[in-house]
């Protein structure tokens, strides 16, 4: 199907109240005040997430010089307006990289995730018609950055499509940690079976081992994730996932290095299932991607304002 790469608007709607946002996702006690549900609950099929293998996505042709794995992340130089998020730092992590497919050796190298070792990164998934998850995540991340900067936040991206592969999952976590971010959001889309629809927000489980210790961020990350889920469902009109998280829109995992190694509040947002035609029609729409960015921005703003 054709997809829309229209640029994002520069103005944003007023954020919803916390109560209104959370009410929208209160489908079960686990989604509102009951806390995130246990690892793996409600999963009816394999869950290809940020660190998991998924179908290879198309990428622009041509290779570029190899980057340093410690290359500086993207940071807007635009003077920021004064707003409710002035003085706050948000790190946005666009999942995968359009050029990962050209660097399979590098992205298959294992890195330490605290509780074991896992591949540096993966290619990400794509729609049936070839719209790559890595393109989707960059587009939504740019829109999200614009919205948050309009509120006065200092926003950093872990990458901006400016390197041939990666960054690796451990470096993605390190960028947020070193920025002392008030919140980190990793943007993704899932690659599950046809008929599996909806979004979900992945929360860090309590993990302690090796270089991982999430004990200090589990509660704050759950708060961040619940607020994003509430605003996301209200703003996009999408339903919480029907195959992960018991229809709460929340899922807790202990196998993602990007979460395990984080020392600041962090969540992953799986915006929909690229392999389902109905979800793909949303994900390939520029106007829907703007709504997705708006829902995340409102959730982050709600969290940071307390």
């Amino acid at each position: 199907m054709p997809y829309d790469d229209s640029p994002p608007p520069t103005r944003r709607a007023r954020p919803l109240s916390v109560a209104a946002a959370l009410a929208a996702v209160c489908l079960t006690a686990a989604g509102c005040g009951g806390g995130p549900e246990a690892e793996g609950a409600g999963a009816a099929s394999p869950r290809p997430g940020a660190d998991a293998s998924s179908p290879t996505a198309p990428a622009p042709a041509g290779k570029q010089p190899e980057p340093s794995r410690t290359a500086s992340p993207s940071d807007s130089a635009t003077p920021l307006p004064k707003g409710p998020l002035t003085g706050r730092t948000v790190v946005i992590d666009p999942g995968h990289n359009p050029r990962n497919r050209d660097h399979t050796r590098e992205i298959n190298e294992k890195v330490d995730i605290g509780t074991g070792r896992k591949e540096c990164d993966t290619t990400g998934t794509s729609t049936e018609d070839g719209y790559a998850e890595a393109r989707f995540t960059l587009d939504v991340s740019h829109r999200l950055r614009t919205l948050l900067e309009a509120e006065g936040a200092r926003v950093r991206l872990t990458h901006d499509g400016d390197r041939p592969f990666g960054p690796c999952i451990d470096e993605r976590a390190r960028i947020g940690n070193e920025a002392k971010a008030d919140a980190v959001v990793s943007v993704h889309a899932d690659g599950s079976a046809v008929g599996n629809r909806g979004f979900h927000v992945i929360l860090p489980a309590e993990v302690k081992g090796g270089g991982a210790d999430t004990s200090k961020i589990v509660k704050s990350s759950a708060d961040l994730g619940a607020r994003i889920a509430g605003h996301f469902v209200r703003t996009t009109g999408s339903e919480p996932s029907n195959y992960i998280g018991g229809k709460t829109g929340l899922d807790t995992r202990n196998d993602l290095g990007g979460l395990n190694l984080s020392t600041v509040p962090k969540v992953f947002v799986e915006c929909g299932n690229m392999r389902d035609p109905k979800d793909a029609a949303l994900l390939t729409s520029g106007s829907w991607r703007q709504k997705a960015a708006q829902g995340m921005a409102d959730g982050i703003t709600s969290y940071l304002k307390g």
Side-chain angles (χ1 to χ4, degrees):
M1 68 185 70
Y3 48 83
D4 176 11
D5 276 338
S6 57
T10 57
R11 298 184 64 184
R12 72 191 296 270
R14 294 176 62 188
L16 304 170
S17 68
V18 175
L22 296 180
V25 81
C26 288
L27 303 179
T28 72
C32 251
E37 61 185 65
E39 172 78 15
S45 64
R47 301 176 296 177
D51 297 352
S53 299
S54 50
T56 300
K63 296 183 179 181
Q64 298 183 13
E66 296 293 320
S68 165
R69 285 196 177 182
T70 57
S72 298
S74 174
D75 194 352
S76 174
T78 304
L80 300 175
K82 295 292 183 181
L85 301 186
T86 295
R88 300 298 195 122
T89 298
V90 178
V91 170
I92 304 171
D93 178 27
H96 312 290
N97 182 320
R99 300 179 182 88
N100 274 356
R101 64 173 295 174
D102 297 324
H103 297 274
T104 55
R105 178 182 61 81
E106 291 89 347
I107 68 171
N108 283 329
E109 290 182 6
K110 300 288 183 71
V111 299
D112 185 5
I113 66 167
T115 55
R117 297 184 67 80
K118 210 163 188 177
E119 288 76 12
C120 158
D121 201 4
T122 64
T123 59
T125 188
S126 69
T127 66
E128 186 67 26
D129 288 338
Y131 181 53
E133 179 187 1
R135 290 187 61 190
F136 169 84
T137 65
L138 276 172
D139 180 87
V140 173
S141 295
H142 291 158
R143 296 169 187 267
L144 179 55
R145 176 175 61 187
T146 297
L147 295 170
L148 292 172
E149 288 182 341
E151 296 292 292
R154 177 175 182 260
V155 179
R156 305 188 75 180
L157 301 186
T158 58
H159 75 99
D160 201 4
D162 50 358
R163 49 193 291 169
F165 67 90
C168 294
I169 54 180
D170 57 340
E171 183 183 349
R172 290 173 187 264
R174 186 165 60 250
I175 290 168
N177 297 344
E178 291 178 351
K180 295 181 171 56
D182 296 292
V184 183
V185 175
S186 191
V187 180
H188 287 269
D190 210 351
S192 189
V194 173
N196 289 344
R197 296 197 61 197
F199 77 92
H200 63 282
V201 181
I202 304 175
L203 313 174
E206 186 158 346
V207 170
K208 191 166 186 177
D213 184 358
T214 62
S215 59
K216 294 180 179 179
I217 67 163
V218 167
K219 184 176 180 180
S220 55
S221 297
D223 184 18
L224 171 64
R227 291 173 188 261
I228 289 175
H231 284 277
F232 196 92
V233 71
R234 176 70 177 270
T235 304
T236 64
S238 293
E239 295 290 330
S241 171
N242 64 6
Y243 63 103
I244 292 175
K247 297 186 178 180
T248 65
L250 302 172
D251 185 39
T252 302
R253 292 180 62 172
N254 63 4
D255 63 327
L256 299 179
L259 295 181
N260 288 358
L261 298 175
S262 184
T263 59
V264 293
K266 183 173 182 178
V267 299
F268 283 37
V269 182
E270 296 279 2
C271 296
N273 176 18
M274 299 196 99
R275 308 304 293 179
D276 177 83
K278 292 181 180 179
D279 267 12
L282 299 176
L283 299 166
T284 54
S285 163
S287 60
W288 187 90
R289 292 197 300 272
Q290 185 63 30
K291 292 178 183 178
Q294 186 72 68
M296 283 185 264
D298 289 344
I300 294 166
T301 298
S302 169
Y303 168 75
L304 293 178
K305 290 174 68 177

